[in-house]
Amino acid sequence: MEVLLIGGSSDLMHALLNKLNKEGHRSYVLTGSRNARGSYKNAYEKYHFPYDCDCLKEIFDSVHPDVILFMGAYDSNFNWEDPRRESVRFLAGLQNVMSTFATMRKGRLIYLSSQEVYSNSYPGYISEDLATSAIGLRGMTYVQGEDICRNYNRTMGLDTVVLRMDHLYGIPYKERLQGERLRDNPCAQMCVEALRTGKIQASHNKKFSMLYQDDAVEFLYQIMRAEQTKQRVYHISTQQTITEMELARLVQKEMGKHVRIVNNTVGSEYQVVLSAKAFADEFDMKIFHSYEETVAAMAKHIRRHTNDYMHDTDPGKGVSGRIRQNLYRIIRACVPFLENMICFIPFFMLHNRAVDSAYFAKLDFYLLYVLLFAIIHGQQQAAFSAVLAVIGYCFRQSYTRSGLEILLDYNTYVWVAQLFILGLVVGYMKDRLAAIKDENRQELQYLTGQLDDIQDINTSNVRLKNVLEVQIVNQNDSFGKIYEITSSLDQYDPSEVLFYAAEILARLVGSKDVAIYSVANRSYARLFSATSKKARELGNSIEYTSYEEMYRDLKEHRVFINKNMDEKYPLMANAIYSEEEMQLILMIWGIPWERMTLSQANMLVVIGYLIQNAVVRANRYMEALENQRYIEGTQILETEAFGNLVEAYLRARNKNLTECTILQIDVQDNLQEEAATELTKLMRQSDYLGKLSDGNLYALISNTENSDADFVIRRFESAGYKSWVKEGTEL
């Protein structure tokens, strides 16, 4: 099955790709953006184009999908920060997809919607035939998308299915958190709220049902592989109602007792729960994940990756969120300067004490202070600390000298120059080392990303190689497939090889009408095996030299092709030679005109040689056992050899590959050898005499039905031997 997934990178998208890959289907992705991010692992091919592009038809023609899944309400390409703009983009993209799908007129399109199409409160479960009640622009957009799909189904007969999923949720992984839109995941929203604020706001009056992502994928897959659906709209829901307060208690249990639940119950009861009865009646609907299990897994993941969820990364967080984030950045930038000024105080005090000390007078604490911040924070903080050190130095000198004396003292400028030079040089080296480390880190990240991409590409290439390898091996006209099928002739007994050669030839050339004639002499050939009544229409015995056009090609070792569609000739024929003597003639009817080509003729030659090899091995085996198969000095087959031959003919007759008649001959045991000598003269080369376990003499008449055996019986009677037909069941 070829599946085209239309949507941005998300956890649901990756889960669908993984499911389709495990089931052996080929998945393609239309990402919806020219700058799409994400590896889309397990996708057979990715198309980075927007939904409203002009080349959508070429993409559909290239993929030729059996199923198209439009992610719709769960498409991460739409963040709904600006609902008006996103609504226009959404509907324009869907309209382009639907119009392209209409030109293809093949497969099924599935549109994913959500519970957001219902905004009112409903006392019971909401069925598919209940009118939508969306209020917000986002929900109304989803409703319009559903209407577009239904209109195309009603007016053009397209196979479209709308799936409304009830509060879909899953673990919000950090690397795709923006695409998941945390506010659409009530369970994850509570877990993150508890982590960030230590409290959860919940209401007793708000009731809903949630559908876990993995369960949703299983239900989606059932819709994909269904031959047909009874309805155009389905609700997918667990129908397990839960209140906000009950969900908050589950989250509190898993996040820790320090989390506090704030009861904000106000107003009347509000309930939106979709009914999944229609889906459950038509498909197998088994819920594998309970609320307790999924909440525990989600809380465990969020606690383990606390740093990833501590700060709001959702682009729809609002003005207050952006102000908090900017304030946080400003505070982080000011911390080193505050740290510098705080550390300046003890160094200022140490410098004042060292000036009057006999032991530490030569020790410059300001220089140590500047070098310390140059080493730790770099050039910027080294310059700032040097400025503070100069201010502190001048302030201390003002105790004993005037400001003019300080400015005129050249030692002051030498000391200041020394302080700035050492501080800036060391700070520059620190910054340079940090830059080198950052470059190395970025290069490592880049190379790691490249390695991940190479791994993804390699996985895709390996999968593509395996697919092409299977296609090549399984292709009907590939040499690997031909050899695989014809080599199966080796498993049959030598006496059965030609019977099943006709069956295998029919399978390889794609025709139900195939016959194999064995050449009796230079003019006549007798039918040995045939797969249908049509293949026997030339008769059990033919004078093949009278079919001049066919014989001319066969004599020249060429494949005969009935280009004039003459009814008295087969459509294709080929002769198998052994030591320049024609041994077998393969005849084929019932193949399309477009397949009567040189390629098919060459394939028939190859098949003929492979069948010939199997026949030659069988004949050599029979010749090697010639003395053991016949009673010495007679043409009567031994009991075992004749029994095997009869069984082979009866099995082939049961499969409609040949006709045969078995006659029991009334003759005394001591006269059987004499009778065999006379009867052999009255039989064809393809007929056999032999004994079975009851000791009686039998004749196996090939290519003859029981109703046509009268002439053989009369011929035996004319020689003085009475005979009658013996059924296979009697034997």
Side-chain angles (χ1 to χ4, degrees):
M1 185 168 64
E2 309 289 329
V3 181
L4 176 61
L5 304 178
I6 302 178
S9 178
S10 65
D11 286 329
L12 180 60
M13 172 69 78
H14 287 260
L16 285 167
L17 288 171
N18 187 45
K19 174 65 177 178
L20 292 170
N21 181 62
K22 286 182 178 179
E23 297 295 336
H25 303 296
R26 191 178 296 179
S27 305
Y28 302 81
V29 177
L30 176 60
T31 63
S33 173
R34 296 188 184 275
N35 301 314
R37 296 182 179 180
S39 62
Y40 294 93
K41 190 175 181 181
N42 296 323
Y44 186 79
E45 186 60 73
K46 299 177 286 292
Y47 299 96
H48 298 293
F49 297 94
Y51 303 147
D52 56 355
C53 68
D54 296 332
C55 62
L56 209 59
K57 186 178 186 302
E58 286 72 17
I59 295 174
F60 276 48
D61 291 340
S62 175
V63 176
H64 210 60
D66 301 302
V67 175
I68 300 171
L69 179 63
F70 188 82
M71 299 296 287
Y74 305 96
D75 191 343
S76 61
N77 287 316
F78 305 98
N79 55 35
W80 297 100
E81 281 187 353
D82 184 352
R84 187 192 62 80
R85 180 174 60 86
E86 293 299 288
S87 176
V88 172
R89 287 182 57 232
F90 186 96
L91 295 176
L94 177 60
Q95 184 65 46
N96 193 28
V97 169
M98 290 302 303
S99 60
T100 307
F101 176 57
T103 61
M104 189 176 66
R105 305 191 69 84
K106 172 186 179 292
R108 173 179 301 145
L109 186 140
I110 302 173
Y111 170 84
L112 296 189
S113 186
S114 74
Q115 82 290 339
E116 289 190 64
V117 299
Y118 296 101
S119 298
N120 297 335
S121 179
Y122 298 85
Y125 295 152
I126 304 172
S127 60
E128 289 84 354
D129 55 356
L130 195 63
T132 58
S133 58
I135 296 176
L137 188 56
R138 179 174 170 182
M140 293 173 62
T141 302
Y142 296 156
V143 172
Q144 292 178 48
E146 294 180 5
D147 293 339
I148 290 174
C149 294
R150 281 195 290 265
N151 289 336
Y152 272 90
N153 169 258
R154 184 172 57 255
T155 59
M156 304 188 69
L158 301 181
D159 187 0
T160 62
V161 178
V162 175
L163 298 182
R164 296 174 183 152
M165 296 194 286
D166 197 357
H167 289 92
L168 183 70
Y169 74 108
I171 298 176
Y173 291 99
K174 175 66 177 179
E175 57 270 17
R176 293 188 292 270
L177 186 58
Q178 291 189 4
E180 293 300 322
R181 296 190 302 273
L182 195 59
R183 61 178 176 271
D184 298 336
N185 190 334
C187 184
Q189 189 176 26
M190 284 189 179
C191 291
V192 175
E193 182 184 2
L195 181 69
R196 292 175 180 172
T197 65
K199 59 184 179 181
I200 305 173
Q201 298 187 19
S203 169
H204 285 286
N205 290 341
K206 190 173 182 179
K207 296 182 180 180
F208 52 90
S209 174
M210 297 190 300
L211 176 66
Y212 192 62
Q213 177 178 280
D214 291 352
D215 289 331
V217 169
E218 294 295 330
F219 302 146
L220 279 172
Y221 179 68
Q222 293 188 53
I223 291 286
M224 288 181 184
R225 64 188 180 93
E227 292 185 3
Q228 58 184 1
T229 58
K230 295 180 180 178
Q231 296 189 184
R232 296 296 99 195
V233 180
Y234 290 97
H235 287 175
I236 301 181
S237 172
T238 61
Q239 299 185 159
Q240 298 173 3
T241 306
I242 188 172
T243 65
E244 267 193 356
M245 188 61 68
E246 291 171 343
L247 180 59
R249 291 195 182 101
L250 288 176
V251 173
Q252 181 189 42
K253 177 183 176 182
E254 300 299 333
M255 295 298 292
K257 294 296 183 182
H258 66 281
V259 176
R260 183 168 55 91
I261 297 178
V262 178
N263 188 348
N264 62 353
T265 303
V266 292
S268 60
E269 189 176 271
Y270 179 85
Q271 175 177 310
V272 175
V273 179
L274 303 184
S275 171
K277 184 178 183 302
F279 186 89
D281 291 343
E282 187 174 348
F283 301 97
D284 180 21
M285 190 172 188
K286 182 178 180 182
I287 305 298
F288 293 95
H289 300 85
S290 64
Y291 291 154
E292 292 80 5
E293 174 191 350
T294 53
V295 170
M298 187 176 298
K300 180 180 179 182
H301 173 82
I302 291 177
R303 289 199 314 271
R304 184 178 297 174
H305 303 85
T306 300
N307 293 333
D308 292 343
Y309 299 96
M310 278 302 294
H311 305 290
D312 197 350
T313 57
D314 192 342
K317 59 197 171 186
V319 176
S320 61
R322 287 194 289 270
I323 292 175
R324 287 196 302 270
Q325 187 173 1
N326 292 332
L327 287 175
Y328 175 76
R329 291 175 179 172
I330 292 172
I331 292 172
R332 285 194 59 183
C334 292
V335 165
F337 292 94
L338 294 173
E339 179 187 357
N340 201 330
M341 288 187 290
I342 292 172
C343 290
F344 170 73
I345 297 173
F347 279 95
F348 174 76
M349 297 172 62
L350 289 172
H351 176 76
N352 289 345
R353 298 296 183 272
V355 170
D356 299 329
S357 172
Y359 298 100
F360 298 102
K362 299 296 184 182
L363 184 60
D364 193 342
F365 283 97
Y366 282 141
L367 181 60
L368 294 178
Y369 162 66
V370 172
L371 291 177
L372 175 64
F373 274 86
I375 292 171
I376 295 176
H377 292 291
Q379 197 172 22
Q380 185 184 50
Q381 291 301 314
F384 183 69
S385 61
V387 171
L388 292 178
V390 171
I391 294 173
Y393 174 80
C394 294
F395 181 78
R396 178 65 182 83
Q397 291 294 318
S398 65
Y399 289 175
T400 58
R401 292 191 295 176
S402 64
L404 183 59
E405 290 177 339
I406 296 173
L407 291 175
L408 295 176
D409 188 358
Y410 78 93
N411 290 320
T412 300
Y413 295 103
V414 172
W415 179 83
V416 171
Q418 169 186 285
L419 199 66
F420 273 92
I421 290 172
L422 288 176
L424 293 177
V425 169
V426 174
Y428 172 79
M429 294 175 62
K430 163 64 181 176
D431 291 341
R432 185 57 185 162
L433 288 175
I436 292 174
K437 288 182 179 179
D438 187 60
E439 290 176 0
N440 291 337
R441 180 180 57 81
Q442 292 180 359
E443 184 177 2
L444 180 61
Q445 290 179 348
Y446 172 76
L447 294 176
T448 303
Q450 290 289 92
L451 180 60
D452 293 339
D453 292 342
I454 291 172
Q455 289 176 344
D456 291 342
I457 293 171
N458 181 65
T459 302
S460 176
N461 289 342
V462 170
R463 184 170 64 254
L464 179 61
K465 179 186 76 68
N466 293 336
V467 169
L468 294 177
E469 188 176 87
V470 170
Q471 289 178 347
I472 291 173
V473 172
N474 292 338
Q475 193 176 352
N476 286 338
D477 58 354
S478 69
F479 289 113
K481 190 68 175 179
I482 292 172
Y483 182 77
E484 177 189 357
I485 295 175
T486 54
S487 61
S488 63
L489 289 172
D490 296 337
Q491 67 181 332
Y492 299 110
D493 291 336
S495 55
E496 297 178 289
V497 169
L498 276 179
F499 293 136
Y500 295 98
E503 187 178 55
I504 287 175
L505 178 60
R507 177 181 171 187
L508 287 171
V509 299
S511 172
K512 297 180 180 179
D513 310 312
V514 170
I516 296 181
Y517 283 83
S518 60
V519 176
N521 51 48
R522 294 184 179 274
S523 298
Y524 284 86
R526 294 190 175 91
L527 180 65
F528 192 93
S529 177
T531 59
S532 67
K533 184 177 180 180
K534 173 71 175 178
R536 296 186 180 94
E537 68 180 11
L538 293 185
N540 292 330
S541 182
I542 62 171
E543 185 180 4
Y544 61 87
T545 55
S546 63
Y547 296 85
E548 296 180 359
E549 294 182 15
M550 182 178 71
Y551 178 66
R552 188 184 310 116
D553 287 335
L554 298 182
K555 184 175 62 174
E556 298 296 331
H557 296 248
R558 293 194 302 264
V559 175
F560 167 73
I561 299 178
N562 188 355
K563 298 178 181 179
N564 299 324
M565 305 298 288
D566 192 334
E567 293 183 357
K568 73 175 185 179
Y569 289 94
L571 295 182
M572 293 184 74
N574 184 42
I576 296 178
Y577 285 82
S578 177
E579 297 179 355
E580 296 303 315
E581 291 291 330
M582 190 182 299
Q583 301 293 323
L584 300 171
I585 300 176
L586 312 178
M587 298 185 184
I588 304 170
W589 287 262
I591 57 176
W593 165 259
E594 61 268 19
R595 295 191 60 188
M596 295 169 59
T597 61
L598 181 61
S599 174
Q600 194 78 357
N602 293 335
M603 187 181 73
L604 185 59
V605 172
V606 174
I607 296 172
Y609 280 124
L610 293 174
I611 291 176
Q612 180 187 16
N613 292 337
V615 172
V616 168
R617 284 194 294 271
N619 290 338
R620 289 177 179 174
Y621 178 81
M622 301 289 277
E623 290 173 2
L625 299 178
E626 186 76 15
N627 296 332
Q628 300 178 20
R629 295 176 67 240
Y630 289 90
I631 298 176
E632 186 176 357
T634 69
Q635 293 296 317
I636 303 175
L637 287 168
E638 289 280 358
T639 301
E640 182 179 358
F642 188 72
N644 292 337
L645 188 64
V646 169
E647 287 180 3
Y649 268 83
L650 292 179
R651 283 195 294 268
R653 187 177 69 177
N654 292 336
K655 293 186 177 183
N656 295 321
L657 296 176
T658 191
E659 297 292 341
C660 67
T661 299
I662 301 172
L663 301 178
Q664 181 176 343
I665 303 171
D666 186 13
V667 59
Q668 297 180 5
D669 293 345
N670 57 349
L671 299 177
Q672 287 181 354
E673 296 182 5
E674 179 181 350
T677 303
E678 296 183 25
L679 293 176
T680 301
K681 300 176 182 178
L682 303 175
M683 297 166 59
R684 298 169 300 183
Q685 292 181 354
S686 56
D687 301 333
Y688 301 89
L689 286 173
K691 298 174 65 175
L692 292 178
S693 56
D694 57 4
N696 295 320
L697 185 64
Y698 291 86
L700 173 62
I701 312 301
S702 63
N703 289 309
T704 303
E705 298 181 1
N706 292 343
S707 57
D708 298 330
D710 292 339
F711 77 96
V712 180
I713 295 175
R714 289 194 299 269
R715 188 181 297 176
F716 285 177
E717 285 181 349
S718 64
Y721 298 97
K722 184 179 180 181
S723 60
W724 59 91
V725 175
K726 197 75 170 180
E727 293 294 339
T729 54
E730 296 176 298
L731 296 176

